[in-house]
Amino acid sequence: MVEGGPGEEFISAISGHPFGQVQFTGERFPLSQVKLLAPMLPSKVVAIGRNYAEHAAELGNEVPDEPLIFMKPSTTVIGHGEHIAYPTSLSDRVDYEGELAVVIGRLCREVPVERVKDVIFGYTCANDVTARDLQKKDVQFTRAKGFDTFCPLGPWIQTDLDASDLALTTTVNGEIRQSGRTSQLVNDIPALVAYVSAVMTLIPGDVILTGTPAGVGPLEIGDEVSVGIEGIGTLTNKVVSRD
């Protein structure tokens, strides 16, 4: 748990698993003196494509009739402050995609829309990093979306939040590149969780990426990219060369 105002935040340590019984140990550490790991290591990251109409249009695509599902391996996940590794020998265009991530809190399958809130543990910021040239080249998205480090998550999970209308902003080197709201989602969060859980069983810690607003664009080695979501916080990562 994070406490305190900006610049004076403290982390309260817990014992136990965050998806089970937890207790506070009484230890507190200044946020500036700790390294934040990814707040979960999901068994799977289920991502939703073209779920903001303006983003679909900017890439020349139609909004699909049903949610477009693709997967990112668990090995893509990194935390706040870790480096995005640009695979320069394999891709000439790597893009940022700021997104709201839904974190599942309990084993579930075929969840009705009206019960979705019961299976959500919380929300965090995500960056669905994408090798755009490979996405255009390949028939499906696995290679473009699946490189190690291509799914930054964090900085933490916000468990008490109404996520239906939150501001989302992506910056690169301090310059705003994306600005949207979760109320612009074509398929909202209850619809997405119900749809995905009708296909596959979700387990605690699994993540659903809800889609990215318009404004996606390329990253260069040395860039610092941040995804900030109202009520959650800001996820920041630097881009380095993998090769």
Side-chain angles (χ1 to χ4, degrees):
M1 186 172 74
V2 181
E3 303 173 292
E8 299 178 349
E9 298 99 332
F10 281 81
I11 294 287
S12 296
I14 62 172
S15 62
H17 196 283
F19 298 101
Q21 295 293 325
V22 299
Q23 291 183 327
F24 289 102
T25 66
E27 294 181 290
R28 299 171 77 243
F29 305 94
L31 180 59
S32 60
Q33 296 180 19
V34 301
K35 178 182 178 180
L36 295 176
L37 303 177
M40 81 295 293
L41 182 58
S43 75
K44 52 188 172 290
V45 177
V46 185
I48 309 298
R50 305 172 191 168
N51 201 29
Y52 284 80
E54 290 185 2
H55 168 62
E58 73 179 343
L59 295 183
N61 298 310
E62 299 291 332
V63 174
D65 293 334
E66 296 180 297
L68 174 63
I69 296 177
F70 60 92
M71 307 282 285
K72 293 175 80 81
S74 61
T75 46
T76 60
V77 173
I78 58 173
H80 171 78
E82 296 188 78
H83 291 162
I84 298 167
Y86 195 129
T88 53
S89 64
L90 296 172
S91 175
D92 295 322
R93 169 78 183 257
V94 169
D95 283 14
Y96 56 83
E97 293 191 8
E99 308 200 11
L100 173 72
V102 178
V103 182
I104 299 299
R106 56 187 290 187
L107 184 73
C108 61
R109 181 168 60 91
E110 298 180 349
V111 183
V113 167
E114 61 272 16
R115 295 190 58 193
V116 163
K117 64 180 184 300
D118 297 333
V119 305
I120 293 177
F121 181 73
Y123 304 90
T124 193
C125 306
N127 190 346
D128 176 21
V129 182
T130 304
R132 192 69 69 199
D133 52 345
L134 302 183
Q135 184 184 27
K136 293 180 179 179
K137 179 180 180 181
D138 294 350
V139 174
Q140 40 72 39
F141 294 175
T142 302
R143 183 166 64 136
K145 303 281 191 174
F147 285 95
D148 290 356
T149 77
F150 269 27
C151 189
L153 295 172
W156 41 69
I157 303 170
Q158 176 56 260
T159 58
D160 184 15
L161 185 68
D162 178 357
S164 60
D165 185 26
L166 303 176
L168 185 158
T169 303
T170 304
T171 66
V172 178
N173 302 324
E175 179 184 343
I176 295 176
R177 301 290 180 84
Q178 290 181 288
S179 181
R181 302 195 68 87
T182 57
S183 55
Q184 298 170 322
L185 290 169
V186 175
N187 301 282
D188 64 13
I189 293 164
L192 293 177
V193 175
Y195 186 86
V196 172
S197 69
V199 177
M200 65 191 77
T201 298
L202 299 171
I203 67 175
D206 280 353
V207 170
I208 298 176
L209 305 185
T210 57
T212 193
V216 299
L219 292 167
E220 303 294 340
I221 293 169
D223 284 347
E224 185 175 82
V225 56
S226 296
V227 179
I229 299 179
E230 180 183 5
I232 300 176
T234 301
L235 168 70
T236 298
N237 302 90
K238 188 173 181 179
V239 182
V240 301
S241 175
R242 193 184 80 164
D243 304 309

